[in-house]
């Protein structure tokens, strides 16, 4: 029996933001000679290199948001409206991180009008029968994408510690199928994404409703069975509940223009890291030397 390939899907935005804020908090922007900060971009590359050495994938893909405006903003003006703009030191690092990713030999993916989550969901849908998949992210919304062949590794501490969710673990902990998680999110809302859900229904009540009834539609059809307070809250917020579900649901049908074979993990050459070091990306070069015994 042949072993399935192992695909590592990286949420590039999550790792870039995480790396930036981890070092920016101490004022470590690690600038190039011209003063351009590199802390987030270098941290992102180092994180992926370390993950690769731990998880040993055969294939790798990096997913990105392509600008702040997506189809979700068309659905709802308030979507992510309360998020602060990225710090000025981070602005040049979005393109820098994508360029470094390409130079490392990793394929970047992003689709205008879609979020990285939607691209990740579509990759899982496309390749879940072809490969065992691990997604690295910090975004709990991705739990809805778990399948028997897909696990989500949430960043925990540094570059080496992860909280890994499998399909089985999710069902044991939540008592629902992963695809129902967006319906739970719809009831409880998400303040960081700016959608309200049903005011007054928190995570525990939201989960209990979906465990009991299975879906938003079935909850609405069974309102008479609910306590009067809960029933009133839902009745008064039905439109926002349905909209919240649309916003919380990750798309899985975004076209992925790539053959699986093109995602094969590259071999790393000494000259790649030497060139990066000469341009001022010294932390990446140092990491490469420790991981790949490159002189």
């Amino acid at each position: 029996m042949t072993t399935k390939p192992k695909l590592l899907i990286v949420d590039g935005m999550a790792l870039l933001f995480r790396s930036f804020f981890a070092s920016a908090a101490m004022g470590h922007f690690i600038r190039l000679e011209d003063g351009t900060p590199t802390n987030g971009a270098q941290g992102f590359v180092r994180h992926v290199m370390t993950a690769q050495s731990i998880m040993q994938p055969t294939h790798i893909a990096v997913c990105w948001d392509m600008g702040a405006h997506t189809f979700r903003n068309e659905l709802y003006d308030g979507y992510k409206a309360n998020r602060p703009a990225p710090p000025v030191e981070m602005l040049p690092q979005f393109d820098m991180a994508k360029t470094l990713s390409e130079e490392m030999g990793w394929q970047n993916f992003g689709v205008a009008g879609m979020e990285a989550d939607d691209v990740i969901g579509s990759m899982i849908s496309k390749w879940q029968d072809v490969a065992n998949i691990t997604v690295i992210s910090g975004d709990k919304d991705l739990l809805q994408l778990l399948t028997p062949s897909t696990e989500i590794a949430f960043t925990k501490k540094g570059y080496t510690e992860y909280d890994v969710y499998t399909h089985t673990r999710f069902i044991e902990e939540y008592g629902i199928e992963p695809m129902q998680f967006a319906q739970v999110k719809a009831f409880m809302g998400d303040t960081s994404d700016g959608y309200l859900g049903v005011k007054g229904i928190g995570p525990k009540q939201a989960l209990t409703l979906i465990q009991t009834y299975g879906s938003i539609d079935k909850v609405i059809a069974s309102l008479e069975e609910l306590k009067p307070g809960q029933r009133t809250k839902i009745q008064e917020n039905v439109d926002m509940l349905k909209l919240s579900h649309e916003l919380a649901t990750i798309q899985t049908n975004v076209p992925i223009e790539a053959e699986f074979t093109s995602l094969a993990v590259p071999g790393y050459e000494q000259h790649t890291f030497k060139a990066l070091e000469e341009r001022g990306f010294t932390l990446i070069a140092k990491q490469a030397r420790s991981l790949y015994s490159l002189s």
Side-chain angles (χ1 to χ4, degrees), residues 111-137:
V111 176
M114 294 289 174
E115 293 181 42
D117 290 4
D118 302 310
V119 179
I120 292 168
S122 301
M123 280 189 176
I124 292 169
S125 178
K126 186 178 173 84
W127 288 317
Q128 63 184 338
D129 296 332
V130 175
N132 290 318
I133 299 172
T134 300
V135 180
I136 296 179
S137 181

Side-chain angles (χ1 to χ4, degrees), residues 112-273:
M114 294 289 174
E115 293 181 42
D117 290 4
D118 302 310
V119 179
I120 292 168
S122 301
M123 280 189 176
I124 292 169
S125 178
K126 186 178 173 84
W127 288 317
Q128 63 184 338
D129 296 332
V130 175
N132 290 318
I133 299 172
T134 300
V135 180
I136 296 179
S137 181
D139 184 356
K140 288 289 197 290
D141 290 350
L142 296 177
L143 286 169
Q144 65 188 271
L145 300 176
L146 287 165
T147 74
S149 62
T150 303
E151 62 182 22
I152 315 280
F154 294 110
T155 49
K156 196 172 171 187
K157 190 179 174 188
Y159 292 160
T160 57
E161 289 187 31
Y162 294 92
D163 184 18
V164 180
Y165 267 84
T166 61
H167 186 256
T168 305
R169 177 186 169 188
F170 178 88
I171 292 169
E172 283 171 1
E173 285 189 18
Y174 286 84
I176 57 173
E177 284 290 334
M179 65 177 62
Q180 293 172 290
F181 187 61
Q183 310 218 25
V184 176
K185 291 274 306 200
F187 274 107
M188 59 190 262
D190 187 323
T191 49
S192 71
D193 282 348
Y195 59 86
L196 305 174
V198 176
K199 200 172 177 185
I201 291 188
K204 282 187 179 173
Q205 280 189 61
L207 181 57
T208 302
L209 284 168
I210 297 303
Q211 286 170 339
T212 307
Y213 294 99
S215 72
I216 289 167
D217 287 343
K218 285 180 182 166
V219 172
I220 292 169
S222 310
L223 284 177
E224 294 309 313
E225 297 175 18
L226 303 181
K227 291 176 184 171
Q230 208 173 42
R231 183 189 322 149
T232 304
K233 286 171 190 168
I234 295 170
Q235 282 172 329
E236 288 175 354
N237 293 279
V238 165
D239 289 346
M240 178 50 75
L241 173 60
K242 290 180 175 177
L243 175 60
S244 295
H245 184 224
E246 273 193 271
L247 296 170
T249 301
I250 295 172
Q251 301 299 302
T252 57
N253 56 359
V254 176
I256 304 296
E257 306 294 344
E259 294 296 323
F260 185 75
T261 50
S262 72
L263 307 180
V265 166
Y268 298 115
E269 303 288 342
Q270 187 174 324
H271 64 79
T272 302
F273 298 108

Side-chain angles (χ1 to χ4, degrees), residues 29-39 41-43 46 93 96 100 103 272-286 289:
F29 293 110
I30 312 156
R31 298 176 187 274
L32 299 178
E33 274 187 16
D34 65 3
T36 307
T38 70
N39 61 318
Q42 289 208 77
R46 293 172 68 205
Q93 299 194 59
M96 182 190 291
L100 288 170
E103 290 175 6
T272 302
F273 298 108
K274 195 164 187 294
L276 287 171
E277 190 166 35
E278 284 168 0
R279 281 163 43 210
F281 297 105
T282 52
L283 295 178
I284 294 173
K286 187 178 175 186
R289 280 196 286 272

